[in-house]
Amino acid sequence: MTTQPRLEKVTPDNVLDACRLEVAPEQERYVSPVARSLAEAYADPETAWPRLVYDGDRLVAFVMAFFDVRFDPEDPDDRPRSGLWRLAVAAGEQGRGYGRFAVDQVCEEILRRGGRRVTVTWGEGEHGPEHFYLRLGFRKTGETSEDQVVGEMDLPRR
């Protein structure tokens, strides 16, 4: 990192740069393109919280959170969850703390909204994000969502 990273909303001025953000080729199967994420956010603005991560003038990552989603609405015991929907750190920018920063910002927003737990899902595989999430403190729940592992982490009480 060259400066303190910061989050910014997606705007008409930066949306094209956001859509051009690409992850490393070996990670493409684990994260949807930013353009798809933004389309999903546009279609579900009450649930989605898309943000860009900048270091100075450089766009280094995209993160999108979700709030109060039931993974299985047919199950009366399924509780609403909030968490990390997408995380894409630009190719060449990994290992510099941007992913951790983005996850921390999602956790802060969940806490601000009164949540106490953060949820994430990930695909398993050699270049997948599992080790990253486990290092941050997420634990596997034993559940799957579609073909992805579900992880959760309790947030500190304020």
Side-chain angles (χ1 to χ4, degrees), residues 26-45:
E26 65 272 11
Q27 296 173 334
E28 289 174 352
R29 67 178 232 158
Y30 298 104
V31 62
S32 295
V34 173
R36 176 181 171 176
S37 298
L38 292 175
E40 290 171 331
Y42 178 81
D44 197 357

Side-chain angles (χ1 to χ4, degrees), residues 97-151:
Y98 301 125
R100 176 180 289 275
F101 170 81
V103 173
D104 287 347
Q105 296 303 298
V106 168
C107 292
E108 287 296 319
E109 184 64 18
I110 291 169
L111 283 167
R112 190 184 72 72
R113 293 173 182 234
R116 296 290 171 250
R117 181 178 296 139
V118 59
T119 302
V120 66
T121 63
W122 65 82
E124 294 182 293
E126 181 181 357
H127 297 287
E130 181 171 308
H131 296 294
F132 170 74
Y133 291 124
L134 294 177
R135 276 194 320 268
L136 290 180
F138 286 92
R139 66 189 176 288
K140 294 181 182 181
T141 65
E143 303 169 271
T144 57
S145 177
E146 297 179 9
D147 62 342
Q148 298 203 333
V149 172
V150 176

Side-chain angles (χ1 to χ4, degrees), residues 1-6 54-58 60 93 96 98:
M1 278 185 249
T2 57
T3 62
Q4 177 65 32
R6 69 185 187 287
Y54 282 88
D55 186 346
D57 293 337
R58 214 168 70 253
V60 296
E93 299 290 355
R96 298 180 180 168
Y98 301 125

